[in-house]
Amino acid sequence: MRRDRLWWWWLTAGILATAGYYLLPDASLASNIAYDLIGLGSSLLILVGVRLHRPARPAMWYWFAAGQVTWVVGDLIWEYYQYVLHQEPYPSPADIFYLSAYPMFVVGMYLLMRGRNSPGRNIAALVDAAIVAIGLGLIFWVFVMHPIAADSTASTLERAIGVAYPAGDALLIAMLARFYTGDGRRSTSIRLLGVAALLLLCADIAYSLVSLYSDSDGRMLDAGWLLSYVFWGASALHPSMRLAGTVAERSGDSRVTRARLALLAVCSLVAPGLLFLPGIGGDGVDRLTIAAGAALLFLLVVVRMSGFVAQVQYQADQLEDLAMADELTGLANRRRFETGLRAALAAGRTQVALLDLDDFKGVNDRLGHGVGDRLLEVLGGRLRSVLRGDILVARMGGDEFAILMPDVGDAEADAIVGRLADTLRRPIAAGDHELLVGASIGVADSAGTTDPYEVLRRADVAMYAAKSARDGHRRYNHALDQRSDEQAKLGAELRHALDSGQFRVVYQPIVELPTGRTVAVEALVRWEHPERGLVPPERFIPAAERSGLIVELGEWILRTACAQAVAWRAAHGDLAPERISVNVSARQLGEHGLARMVAGVLEETGLSARRLTVEVTETAVFGGGQAVQAVQDLHDLGVRIALDDFGTGHSSLGLLQTVPVDVLKVDKSFVDGITMAGRHAVIATALIQVSAGLGLTAVAEGVETAEQAAELYRLGYRLAQGYHFGRPSPEPRFLVPHFVGGRP
């Protein structure tokens, strides 16, 4: 904007006007009018700047303008004496106005400093300003003030006024030094103000010396006063004047730069340095002044160094706190937790709990990492709120938290873990989302060990065991170690088993009621270990899930089952099962590209997508995210989706609204007591009604007796599966009907 450049135009015009002043005849009326116009223009432009930029602290600028006007009045009085009375007295009444302006400038500077400094803040910068002021003050005293004051040819009044001008200027410079040694940037307005004060100081010092030691009229010194006027006006016209002295102006840091350190060093060495100059210190007053200045500088340097040491210590403490804290949640981090655990173990028995969120990756995939981070923040605060102050809560990394409970017994620790589990059952607000997250908690004590890593290992073993516990938390015992070792050994053997062909696929019939005709088969995997014999799935599947080998194993099962279905169709025609079901694990659903892999297998084997059913559990898709998207992609291929173990999950009916489902496989627990009178058949009846209402196919699992099959048929079920119709076998008897009243 044009008004933002007004200061530049004034600065340029003022410098040119100052140069033009020297083109006018010396001591002429025209030159004096030009001098007065420059001073008056500067005073008025300060008011213009206040009007244009609306500063946060206008009072200080009004004081500056008043001081400038007072100087102009002094100029007019001097010219009255010179041109009307034809006198050039020194001192004169004009000096009263010149000197009266200094208190006004001091008030303005005080308001400027008060606006910049909050109480108790940046004491170091104040000390730095004092060091600079004392160093400059010693130089002024030795070379300017003392010679003027000691001059025997001048009157007492002349000496006093001669000292007053540079003393007032030095006071302004000392106050401005606060800004040049402070912790922040100097705005252009403050820089221009500093130049104005420096020009004024130089001109006043030179005039005092010239008046005492020379017969020159000192006209060349007028440039200093005129340019001081000009820069003062430019300072008020610059747009940055609106923030001069406010908190917003402080945006820098308090680092001691090389330039700042050099300035402080030079000012600190002024006192001893003056003593090395010839002729300095011979006078008793000089010696006393230099000694006092040296003492003050020494004390200020001590204060500055003590403040610097305190600041370094404070920053070191801050760095230590940061190094021991988790940046996201503000909880202790792994390093802090391990340090606390060592101290607790040294003091006695302690308890440790590890907490791991279930399907946190799904939250990040579905809602984004911002929501995931917010979830961790809220969870961290919630954990801290339900625990007493002497219990340390730490985020160990990712979605894993640890709780250190020193001097706590097993019963109390289990109660604490129970409270943690309860608080996690409440929804967590993360952004615009209400999230219900599960967690697995393992707790262990330090009985028989002082090794912190052993205690953490025990808690970790218990935490993984808790993933299969209904209440979500487990306490460590030695039996878990045996189970963990077995799982680890099984995991190591799985790779070799898959490569050497130790796995085989068996098939269990899914029959039509009441005819017993096999309409589909479910593919199941078995491990024929050369030494262990037949390893059941419930033993090796968790190890395959944990190692990630379930992805490769699942693809092998799918390919084998699809190829077998095609072979049966080719051999038996319409007597072969219409469809084949294959289970897909939660780990497989979490992998990108599952649908692409299934499509590839179907193309490779030649099986139609409508003849394949993919079975998923409720828990696998409960968290949503990538798992649900994978199911949707499979459904888009034409593959049927079956929800396995239906009715046992977190929110079975809610899943039917979010997951594309074709088949409900009613869990065995609802079939076992179906022939008994009373409430046992209510859920099975409700589920067949839900299936019919939604247009889904219902399959009753775990049918073991003909009576169960008959009752299911009476309730409306038309498909069933279980030992009554056939056990899993490499060659199921799908060519032989299993009637409802018959036996397998």
Side-chain angles (χ1 to χ4, degrees):
M1 295 177 63
R2 182 172 297 179
R3 67 170 58 182
D4 290 344
R5 300 291 296 171
L6 187 59
W7 72 276
W8 174 254
W9 293 112
W10 163 248
L11 189 61
T12 303
I15 293 174
L16 292 176
T18 301
Y21 167 80
Y22 287 97
L23 299 178
L24 299 174
D26 184 15
S28 66
L29 180 62
S31 65
N32 281 278
I33 291 175
Y35 190 101
D36 294 338
L37 288 176
I38 294 174
L40 186 60
S42 174
S43 304
L44 294 177
L45 287 175
I46 292 177
L47 299 178
V48 171
V50 173
R51 179 78 174 178
L52 286 177
H53 302 304
R54 306 290 183 182
R57 297 184 175 273
M60 65 182 183
W61 293 104
Y62 289 137
W63 281 105
F64 291 154
Q68 294 278 10
V69 171
T70 304
W71 265 340
V72 173
V73 173
D75 290 336
L76 293 173
I77 292 174
W78 172 254
E79 289 161 8
Y80 171 79
Y81 272 92
Q82 188 176 20
Y83 292 105
V84 178
L85 301 180
H86 303 289
Q87 298 177 12
E88 295 184 1
Y90 179 74
S92 71
D95 291 305
I96 297 175
F97 286 89
Y98 288 142
L99 292 175
S100 297
Y102 282 100
M104 301 178 189
F105 289 128
V106 169
V107 172
M109 289 292 184
Y110 171 74
L111 293 176
L112 184 65
M113 293 175 61
R114 189 182 66 176
R116 184 176 175 89
N117 296 306
S118 57
R121 182 179 177 88
N122 210 3
I123 300 299
L126 292 175
V127 174
D128 291 349
I131 292 173
V132 173
I134 291 175
L136 293 177
L138 283 175
I139 296 175
F140 293 156
W141 170 261
V142 171
F143 293 104
V144 180
M145 298 179 187
H146 186 226
I148 294 174
D151 182 31
S152 59
T153 63
S155 67
T156 302
L157 184 59
E158 288 177 334
R159 291 197 300 270
I161 292 177
V163 169
Y165 282 111
D169 297 333
L171 178 59
L172 296 180
I173 291 293
M175 297 178 78
L176 272 175
R178 166 65 186 86
F179 288 88
Y180 290 87
T181 57
D183 64 335
R185 71 173 187 270
R186 268 68 64 184
S187 66
T188 302
S189 179
I190 293 297
R191 293 181 186 276
L192 292 171
L193 198 63
V195 173
L198 185 61
L199 287 168
L200 182 64
L201 174 66
C202 294
D204 284 345
I205 291 174
Y207 182 77
S208 297
L209 294 175
V210 167
S211 298
L212 292 174
Y213 299 116
S214 173
D215 295 330
S216 172
D217 60 0
R219 187 168 187 257
M220 293 303 297
L221 302 179
D222 289 345
W225 290 309
L226 289 173
L227 290 176
S228 176
Y229 278 136
V230 170
F231 275 88
W232 216 298
S235 172
L237 289 175
H238 195 277
S240 63
M241 64 87 71
R242 68 171 63 96
L243 297 177
T246 63
V247 175
E249 187 189 40
R250 299 193 306 271
S251 62
D253 54 49
S254 58
R255 291 178 297 177
V256 180
T257 62
R258 293 183 179 180
R260 185 175 177 182
L261 186 61
L263 176 63
L264 295 177
V266 169
C267 292
S268 301
L269 294 174
V270 164
L274 289 173
L275 296 177
F276 286 94
L277 297 178
I280 303 298
D283 186 280
V285 176
D286 270 351
R287 288 198 303 272
L288 182 61
T289 302
I290 294 173
L296 285 174
L297 286 172
F298 175 78
L299 292 176
L300 288 172
V301 169
V302 170
V303 171
R304 185 67 176 94
M305 290 304 298
S306 63
F308 180 73
V309 171
Q311 182 181 13
V312 170
Q313 183 60 52
Y314 173 73
Q315 292 176 341
D317 293 341
Q318 281 188 314
L319 289 175
E320 183 177 358
D321 290 340
L322 289 173
M324 293 294 186
D326 176 60
E327 183 178 0
L328 178 63
T329 63
L331 300 174
N333 60 10
R334 176 180 288 273
R335 181 183 301 176
R336 171 71 180 88
F337 185 85
E338 291 177 353
T339 301
L341 178 56
R342 289 191 184 94
L345 289 173
R349 186 175 177 181
T350 190
Q351 305 266 347
V352 169
L354 287 182
L355 182 152
D356 183 72
L357 297 183
D358 298 335
D359 195 35
F360 179 71
K361 180 178 181 297
V363 174
N364 282 334
D365 291 342
R366 183 172 74 257
L367 303 176
H369 288 275
V371 174
D373 288 348
R374 180 57 184 159
L375 169 64
L376 294 176
E377 288 183 70
V378 175
L379 178 62
R382 185 178 291 184
L383 294 178
R384 192 162 39 194
S385 67
V386 300
L387 299 173
R388 63 175 193 244
D390 62 332
I391 295 178
L392 179 64
V393 184
R395 181 184 175 213
M396 303 295 276
D399 60 339
E400 186 175 276
F401 296 82
I403 298 94
L404 176 62
M405 299 168 282
D407 195 26
V408 169
D410 291 354
E412 186 178 357
D414 290 341
I416 291 172
V417 169
R419 289 202 303 272
L420 292 177
D422 290 340
T423 193
L424 290 173
R425 294 189 181 99
R426 292 186 282 114
I428 294 177
D432 297 330
H433 304 276
E434 288 282 337
L435 303 177
L436 187 62
V437 295
S440 303
I441 308 174
V443 60
D445 62 19
S446 61
T449 183
T450 58
D451 183 358
Y453 298 107
E454 170 61 17
V455 179
L456 286 172
R457 186 197 68 80
R458 293 176 181 178
D460 188 63
V461 169
M463 181 184 71
Y464 276 102
K467 292 184 180 295
S468 58
R470 286 195 172 273
D471 57 4
H473 55 88
R474 288 289 300 273
R475 169 168 285 280
Y476 169 83
N477 57 59
H478 292 296
L480 292 181
D481 265 342
Q482 297 175 357
R483 178 180 172 185
S484 178
D485 290 344
E486 183 180 358
Q487 288 290 315
K489 188 174 181 180
L490 283 174
E493 294 176 348
L494 281 172
R495 175 77 267 171
H496 175 70
L498 186 59
D499 292 339
S500 60
Q502 295 179 15
F503 291 103
R504 62 186 177 92
V505 178
V506 294
Y507 306 90
Q508 186 173 33
I510 300 174
V511 305
E512 181 183 60
L513 299 179
T515 65
R517 182 176 67 90
T518 299
V519 296
V521 292
E522 179 182 357
L524 302 168
V525 65
R526 296 293 184 263
W527 182 5
E528 292 184 344
H529 194 282
E531 298 176 1
R532 301 172 185 263
L534 189 64
V535 182
E538 60 269 19
R539 291 184 60 190
F540 70 82
I541 291 296
E545 285 270 5
R546 184 179 297 186
S547 67
L549 195 63
I550 191 67
V551 176
E552 186 176 345
L553 178 60
E555 182 177 351
W556 176 83
I557 296 169
L558 176 68
R559 181 174 285 103
T560 302
C562 290
Q564 183 63 73
V566 171
W568 283 333
R569 198 73 180 173
H572 305 291
D574 292 340
L575 296 177
E578 298 173 9
R579 290 177 297 276
I580 190 164
S581 295
V582 178
N583 291 279
V584 172
S585 71
R587 184 68 175 264
Q588 288 175 277
L589 291 173
E591 294 288 327
H592 292 281
L594 175 64
R596 186 169 57 253
M597 183 272 289
V598 171
V601 170
L602 292 175
E603 182 179 1
E604 175 187 331
T605 59
L607 183 68
S608 172
R610 65 183 178 84
R611 296 187 179 278
L612 174 64
T613 300
V614 168
E615 296 191 13
V616 298
T617 62
E618 295 179 34
T619 54
V621 294
F622 174 71
Q626 173 59 32
V628 172
Q629 184 60 52
V631 171
Q632 183 64 59
D633 293 341
L634 291 172
H635 197 262
D636 292 343
L637 288 177
V639 174
R640 288 161 58 88
I641 304 299
L643 204 55
D644 200 11
D645 301 331
F646 186 75
T648 61
H650 300 275
S651 181
S652 301
L653 295 178
L655 288 176
L656 299 181
Q657 297 178 339
T658 58
V659 180
V661 177
D662 303 290
V663 180
L664 294 184
K665 301 195 73 175
V666 178
D667 189 70
K668 181 180 184 296
S669 60
F670 304 125
V671 175
D672 288 342
I674 200 169
T675 59
M676 300 174 64
R679 302 173 56 187
H680 298 84
V682 173
I683 296 179
T685 303
L687 292 180
I688 191 61
Q689 292 173 348
V690 168
S691 300
L694 296 176
L696 305 178
T697 300
V699 178
E701 294 187 288
V703 180
E704 297 184 350
T705 66
E707 291 77 13
Q708 289 175 340
E711 181 63 17
L712 287 167
Y713 177 71
R714 188 187 69 79
L715 293 176
Y717 285 87
R718 295 299 176 261
L719 294 176
Q721 175 182 358
Y723 286 176
H724 174 67
F725 305 107
R727 294 177 178 272
S729 168
E731 292 291 338
R733 297 188 297 164
F734 55 81
L735 298 179
V736 179
H738 298 270
F739 294 98
V740 169
R743 295 184 178 277

